[in-house]
Amino acid sequence: MQDLSTELSLVTVTYNSAKVLGGHIDSLRSSATGPLPKWFIVDNASTDDTDSLLSTYGQDVELIKNSENLGFGSACNIGIAASKTRYVLILNPDTELSESAIQQLLVEMKSRDAAIAGPALDPSDDRSVEAVDWLVGAVLLFDTEKMDSVGYFDEQFFLYEEDVDICKRANDANLKVLHCRNVSIPHVGGGSTVRSRAVIEFIHFHKGRSYAIYAHKHGLGDKFVEAYVRRNKKRMIVALLTFGVARYVRAKAKIKGVNSVQ
């Protein structure tokens, strides 16, 4: 069995995630048979009980507190830079960990010479392991010896598309991106702040903005973005006709996000 405490580091990015963060940390602590890996909690200026919660875990975790919300990718980069191990596992705080799953994911990465590896995030009978175009960013294992030449998260993306972008860049560099469906690390969801109307607008603004940034960065063309805007304009019209206020707010925010990209 690999000694995870020397093989890899963990980086969990948080933003008002106190309600799920304890369970996230405890899921690994309760399943660990040896020392925990170095575990960085990179917090994007949370205003909930994150700080006081983490103080109860002593030296099991190290808090890196940002003075403002820098976004997911920027916080990941801070954690990766703080890590001293070859392998770094990026995590959402609403994932359920186990020592055996992390061990297996690391074995698959090494044996198949991958640069990025991700597990199954939902229950499935599919046990396949295959190279893919991209992985969901909730759980990503990086081999830094391979990825250092590619770079990590593009900080243009505040939220969304940063996982697609980093996987594309790895693939473009002829590095392997591996989906290990035989490894289960459940993504429970709902790990951040309560979704008020303002939060929903903020989230969907960044969905639209990141979509446009990705399209422009990778040369998908104006027509690709224009089609996205048309789809969301249609959603706004349908929402008005059916009194779907939430759908209208989401679609309008996405278009605003697209329009914010010059």
Side-chain angles (χ1 to χ4, degrees), residues 93-114:
D94 49 2
T95 51
E96 295 179 355
L97 306 173
S98 69
E99 182 183 68
S100 60
I102 296 174
Q103 287 274 5
Q104 189 177 2
L105 189 63
L106 185 56
V107 166
E108 294 289 0
M109 166 170 270
K110 290 179 177 180
S111 66
R112 298 171 189 267
D113 197 31

Side-chain angles (χ1 to χ4, degrees), residues 246-261:
R247 292 195 300 275
Y248 180 87
V249 168
R250 292 194 296 266
K252 184 179 180 181
K254 287 176 182 174
I255 294 171
K256 186 177 179 180
V258 169
N259 292 337
S260 73
V261 178

Side-chain angles (χ1 to χ4, degrees), residues 43-101:
D43 183 73
N44 270 327
S46 291
T47 56
D48 62 0
D49 296 327
T50 294
D51 292 14
S52 58
L53 170 69
L54 291 176
S55 68
T56 67
Y57 285 98
Q59 295 183 347
D60 282 354
V61 298
E62 179 177 329
L63 172 62
I64 300 175
K65 185 79 173 180
N66 295 327
S67 59
E68 59 182 308
N69 187 351
L70 300 177
F72 179 74
S74 295
C76 287
N77 288 344
I78 289 169
I80 293 167
S83 303
K84 304 302 181 185
T85 53
R86 174 173 177 175
Y87 302 99
V88 180
L89 184 62
I90 297 293
L91 298 160
N92 277 15
D94 49 2
T95 51
E96 295 179 355
L97 306 173
S98 69
E99 182 183 68
S100 60

Side-chain angles (χ1 to χ4, degrees), residues 235-236 238-250:
R235 288 173 183 149
M236 289 174 63
V238 171
L240 285 172
L241 295 173
T242 59
F243 303 99
V245 175
R247 292 195 300 275
Y248 180 87
V249 168
R250 292 194 296 266

Side-chain angles (χ1 to χ4, degrees), residues 113-128:
D113 197 31
I116 307 176
L121 300 175
D122 298 301
S124 174
D125 293 329
D126 186 348
R127 307 289 292 171
S128 63

Side-chain angles (χ1 to χ4, degrees), residues 176-195:
K176 188 180 292 183
V177 177
L178 198 66
H179 193 186
C180 305
R181 297 184 183 90
N182 61 336
V183 179
S184 177
I185 299 181
H187 183 214
V188 179
S192 192
T193 187
V194 174
R195 294 198 172 185

